[in-house]
Amino acid sequence: MSKTPAGIRSPRLRAAFVAVAIAALSGTAIAGSPASAAPTGDTTQFRGVNWADPRDNFADDALQLSGLSTSDTYAQTYAKASRIISAFRANLGANTVRLPINPYTVNGTYWKSYRGVIDAATAQGFKVIVSYWEGTGDRRDGFIDDTATFWPMWDTVVKAYQGNSRVYFEPMNEPHGYTDTEWADIAAKWLATYSSVPRNRVFVSGAGYNDHVTTVCADPRLKGTYLSLHHYGFWKSYATYDQWVADLKERIGDCADRTVADEFGAPMTTGLNYNKPAPENNSINFIQAVTDTFRELKMGSVYWPGLRTDDTYSLQKLIGDPARPWLATTNQSGADRLAWGWGRGKPVQP
């Protein structure tokens, strides 16, 4: 996600969403390796949340997830992460967590400790989606920051977790600097480089801000992978429920059986009630429309964010002793709608 630290999208970013930067990608298209067993039928096995750095995961140093510290040892990280993962399950019924990575985290000394998050989650049976985030400032442009550190980062991550069937790999978050074709070329190169990774453990981001999956879905080189979609209510100042349903379905096309919405969200700390219709409220229209559509299309979804300090969208907040963290739900109606999208719970009450 691309939000300011206070949890509110910037006007400049909104403009950037319309005017996507285009840059040439050096090299030629790389043919993908043979597909392994393709995703079949639906993606409802992914019921999750994002766990984020307070800086929105854009950093020029090691990532520090909310509630953790880069000074923690592996054992301390594992213990804290175990409690937070347990809270995601207890409070929300989640079974998936999406985590950021960058070269500073993986290629440096903190990697040994950061692995405690992934290990703690998979030990509890969680699926883990690891995704690359770019840096800040001029580097926050939708391009891979530095290929000389990007590929060694993925070498390390794949080597560590290709044997763990609960870990999934998302080569890049929101690759909006590239054209659709350029991004598909990079995704195909990733698949060819790591041909030992089963295709059905790779999430290929939709083009742009992960905002449509139709082009990557149509590319035969990417066959057999999952596709990740992002969708947010702030993209429109106002839309009706029906307009939000139509907007989401247009971005998915005929690819729902491969697609997971691994980011979507709305304000959760402002007191909105997502369990009742409120046609005048854009955020309520949005959340009700997308969760109904996820349920209808049998799509998995991963809410943004499950936990991010000082984010108005955060569905959980830290409570208790920082050494033994636990979580509390910030908006029960939001949690209800998340569960509804996952195929549980009750519909919106009139």
Side-chain angles (χ1 to χ4, degrees):
M1 190 179 186
S2 305
K3 294 168 65 182
T4 63
I8 305 299
R9 297 283 182 157
S10 68
R12 186 175 67 82
L13 182 57
R14 297 189 189 194
F17 185 84
V18 178
V20 174
I22 298 175
L25 172 69
S26 61
T28 57
I30 306 295
S33 59
S36 63
T40 56
D42 63 55
T43 60
T44 53
Q45 67 269 36
F46 297 99
R47 304 183 295 277
V49 294
N50 283 265
W51 183 3
D53 184 304
R55 298 168 294 178
D56 206 18
N57 296 341
F58 295 95
D60 295 320
D61 55 10
L63 291 156
Q64 184 171 304
L65 302 184
S66 297
L68 303 183
S69 171
T70 53
S71 64
D72 287 340
T73 65
Y74 174 91
Q76 290 170 322
T77 302
Y78 188 99
K80 291 179 180 180
S82 294
R83 291 182 61 82
I84 289 173
I85 293 296
S86 294
F88 285 148
R89 172 178 283 132
N91 295 351
L92 302 173
N95 72 356
T96 301
V97 64
R98 182 169 176 254
L99 302 173
I101 57 170
N102 65 17
Y104 304 98
T105 304
V106 174
N107 299 344
T109 58
Y110 185 54
W111 174 237
K112 181 178 180 180
S113 294
Y114 195 74
R115 288 190 61 176
V117 183
I118 302 171
D119 296 348
T122 59
Q124 294 193 44
F126 262 55
K127 299 173 179 65
V128 176
I129 303 166
V130 289
S131 182
Y132 161 68
W133 254 261
E134 58 187 324
T136 62
D138 292 342
R139 290 172 175 261
R140 190 169 166 176
D141 55 7
F143 296 100
I144 294 168
D145 288 343
D146 181 4
T147 56
T149 58
F150 174 84
W151 293 108
M153 172 194 72
W154 277 118
D155 289 348
T156 297
V157 176
V158 169
K159 182 179 179 180
Y161 290 107
Q162 66 178 334
N164 187 331
S165 63
R166 294 188 176 117
V167 177
Y168 297 78
F169 308 95
E170 188 176 45
M172 184 176 182
N173 172 74
E174 298 184 350
H176 59 91
Y178 301 105
T179 66
D180 288 28
T181 299
E182 289 169 345
W183 168 239
D185 289 345
I186 293 172
K189 179 178 180 179
W190 196 101
L191 292 169
T193 301
Y194 304 109
S195 58
S196 61
V197 175
R199 293 288 186 101
N200 62 3
R201 285 178 50 207
V202 179
F203 278 67
V204 173
S205 294
Y209 284 84
N210 281 61
D211 59 88
H212 61 285
V213 298
T214 48
T215 54
V216 289
C217 183
D219 194 317
R221 297 172 300 168
L222 311 180
K223 182 179 179 180
T225 63
Y226 288 105
L227 309 174
S228 70
L229 180 76
H230 294 180
H231 200 228
Y232 284 103
F234 75 87
W235 290 352
K236 298 178 186 291
S237 59
Y238 175 81
T240 65
Y241 172 97
D242 290 339
Q243 288 170 335
W244 277 122
V245 170
D247 182 87
L248 177 57
K249 288 186 174 181
E250 182 178 2
R251 297 172 187 279
I252 299 167
D254 297 327
C255 305
D257 61 345
R258 291 174 60 191
T259 301
V260 176
D262 72 5
E263 281 193 26
F264 76 102
M268 290 294 163
T269 63
T270 58
L272 292 177
N273 183 352
Y274 293 102
N275 281 335
K276 291 185 177 295
E280 74 287 351
N281 188 286
N282 185 57
S283 293
I284 292 175
N285 289 342
F286 170 78
I287 287 292
Q288 292 179 355
V290 298
T291 52
D292 282 350
T293 303
F294 297 155
R295 186 180 179 107
E296 173 196 345
L297 298 180
K298 295 181 171 57
M299 278 177 52
S301 61
V302 183
Y303 180 81
W304 177 277
L307 179 62
R308 179 183 172 221
T309 305
D310 296 327
D311 189 336
T312 59
Y313 283 37
S314 190
L315 194 49
Q316 300 284 284
K317 64 180 180 180
L318 289 160
I319 59 173
D321 182 348
R324 291 177 53 79
W326 195 251
L327 304 178
T329 299
T330 60
N331 187 317
Q332 187 55 52
S333 69
D336 293 343
R337 291 307 300 175
L338 185 59
W340 176 253
W342 292 342
R344 303 198 311 265
K346 298 178 180 180
V348 167
Q349 299 300 311

